[in-house]
Amino acid sequence: MAGYNDFPLSIYNSYSREKEVFTPIHEGHVGLYVCGPTVYNFVHLGNVRTFMTFDVLYRYLSHLGYKVRYVRNITDVGHLVDDVDEGEDKIAKKARLDNLEPMEVVQMYTNDFHDTLRLFNFISPSIEPSATGHIIEQIQMVQQILDHGFAYEVNGSVYFDVLKYQEAKGNYGKLSGRVLEDLINNTRELDGQEEKRNGLDFAIWKNADERHIMKWPSPWGVGFPGWHLECSVMSTKYLGKQFDIHGGGMDLKFPHHECEIAQSVAADGEVPVRYWMHSNMLTVNGQKMSKSLGNSFTPAELITGNHPLLKKGYSPMTVRFFRMQSHYSSTLDFSNDALEASEKGYKRLMNALRALQQLSHSKGNLNTELEAEIENNLNQAFLNLSDDLNTAKCIANLFDLATRINSFSAKKLATGAISEKLFARLQKDYSAIIVDILGIQAEESGSSSVVDQLMQLVIEIRQEARQNKDFATSDKIRDALGAAGIQLKDGADGTGYTLN
């Protein structure tokens, strides 16, 4: 197995804006924190991409031999509508609209979150703390920030004093690249701003009126914690005042992560995170994914194909494979062509893996050129993963190896053309990279790959009937499939289907 000294990891650090060699605070140990979901709705594809990035990072760090403590939180209070300091809690609003208790909403969408991640073969984090489970610790951090002079209390609410912090520490805006003067000039006038000394100040504890459902007693009155505060508390509680890696979506860089840094420095006197990593957003056919544009779809719609923009459904492993063909820091564009190409690529890798597992080493004439090629591809796959988690380039190495594996399988090349030692490494590492690190596994029997083959046969029979002007048979096939919950989609590029 590759070790962390064999293939030292480099990470693009959003804080320094440079790619840096990763050096953990404690040799052989890694503290990793990732901002989890606010559980008031079904998990969306942008969430899944972010969490997949750090699932692969967790897997790779573990494979390299690090002992990893991976903390990913659940936000179940304090995240207000529009991500501001005034208004209704997102979970409380959903509870009011659906006539449920807030914790029913939390449980429902936490279950959905876990079910979705299991579908895509995610490993569970080491610890999954919730904001409501850490109210006492959040009150304590608010008090620390007050005691150090970086916050002030008004009418039962406590606000972080950004200008005073900047004057003392000078690093507010460093992560996001924002200039404080520009932020002040561009701050919107919102309800409740009159309580603040400056519009850029943010709540670390909010007073709750009688209409607010989720609230707790504190030294400043009955209220609830600020959204930014939660992650500062839970990350440092489980990983220490300074830890190795903090991850999240690029949309969280400002203000959420910027505020996390300020709070932790104000409370503990230390910059909390050594390396910040941010994943990029999803687009659809070159456009930003948005409900208003009608191009937003759920993981379930992607798998069933039950969406106007999809020709058909795609299996969970096809989707997982697709997501890793772009670097996590780049935008990832969904299209039918890209997904269909990923489906073929996924099958090609898995076919090569199955063939390799069935092969055994045999005697033959050693081919030193072939040996060097295979060894180089194996090493390069790990080097690409260690180069800021470049899964796209790693997959290219796997495809090159698949070509050689298929030659062995088809007996165009004897396995004896490489040494027994290298053959054993090829079997071990090829499987480890695909299954253990990238998290790609074979689809279960009866999966969509089998359904695809059956449906392709039915579509071809129907197409022949239409060409023969046997419209009665063509319509019978379409109607029978419709009754079974399968909708055919005829288009310029052929016929696809969706499962309803």
Side-chain angles (χ1 to χ4, degrees), residues 154-159 195 205-209 212 220-224:
V154 182
N155 299 326
S157 294
V158 181
Y159 295 99
E195 286 190 344
W205 185 266
K206 277 294 292 180
N207 178 57
D209 60 30
H212 207 92
W220 318 284
V222 175
F224 56 93

Side-chain angles (χ1 to χ4, degrees), residues 269-428:
E270 295 185 58
V271 175
V273 181
R274 297 276 296 277
Y275 305 88
W276 285 89
M277 296 178 69
H278 290 94
S279 64
N280 214 324
M281 66 178 181
L282 300 173
T283 57
V284 179
N285 298 320
Q287 287 185 305
K288 183 179 178 180
M289 186 178 287
S290 167
K291 288 183 180 179
S292 62
L293 294 175
N295 67 354
S296 174
F297 37 80
T298 65
E301 288 171 332
L302 188 59
I303 290 167
T304 62
N306 189 20
H307 191 282
L309 291 178
L310 294 170
K311 290 181 181 178
K312 64 174 188 176
Y314 300 91
S315 73
M317 287 300 103
T318 295
V319 176
R320 184 175 178 106
F321 177 78
F322 164 73
R323 289 171 179 276
M324 287 184 285
Q325 292 187 85
S326 175
H327 191 269
Y328 72 87
S329 65
S330 303
T331 55
L332 178 63
D333 189 55
F334 274 80
S335 69
N336 282 287
D337 288 345
L339 286 163
E340 286 174 3
S342 293
E343 188 173 59
K344 292 175 183 176
Y346 161 70
K347 290 176 181 177
R348 182 183 171 195
L349 279 193
M350 297 313 295
N351 287 339
L353 179 59
R354 279 191 293 270
L356 181 60
Q357 291 169 338
Q358 293 167 6
L359 288 170
S360 58
H361 191 261
S362 61
K363 291 183 178 180
N365 296 322
L366 199 66
N367 184 330
T368 55
E369 186 176 330
L370 179 64
E371 272 230 332
E373 177 194 319
I374 289 175
E375 189 161 28
N376 179 66
N377 266 313
L378 286 170
N379 289 338
Q380 199 61 49
F382 284 109
L383 288 169
N384 283 324
L385 287 170
S386 287
D387 183 16
D388 196 28
L389 211 65
N390 198 325
T391 55
K393 287 188 175 181
C394 172
I395 287 171
N397 298 127
L398 296 177
F399 280 144
D400 288 342
L401 289 166
T403 299
R404 292 307 183 190
I405 292 166
N406 291 335
S407 294
F408 288 140
S409 181
K411 302 191 185 304
K412 293 179 181 178
L413 281 172
T415 54
I418 61 175
S419 68
E420 187 172 2
K421 181 180 179 181
L422 180 58
F423 180 76
R425 184 194 171 192
L426 176 62
Q427 283 189 313
K428 182 179 179 181

Side-chain angles (χ1 to χ4, degrees), residues 434-447:
I434 294 173
V435 179
D436 299 337
I437 299 171
L438 300 183
I440 300 170
Q441 57 187 6
E443 303 281 5
E444 296 177 2
S445 59
S447 69

Side-chain angles (χ1 to χ4, degrees), residues 9 11 22-34 54 57-58 61-62 66-72 126-127 234-247 272-277:
L9 178 67
I11 292 173
F22 174 67
T23 305
I25 296 170
H26 303 290
E27 173 70 25
H29 295 258
V30 178
L32 169 64
Y33 184 88
V34 174
F54 297 103
L57 178 65
Y58 182 24
L61 289 168
S62 299
Y66 287 108
K67 183 174 178 57
V68 186
R69 177 176 289 175
Y70 176 21
V71 182
R72 187 186 66 214
S126 314
I127 304 172
M234 289 184 280
S235 61
T236 56
K237 176 179 173 64
Y238 294 107
L239 298 175
K241 292 180 181 180
Q242 189 175 63
F243 57 95
D244 297 301
I245 303 172
H246 192 314
V273 181
R274 297 276 296 277
Y275 305 88
W276 285 89
M277 296 178 69

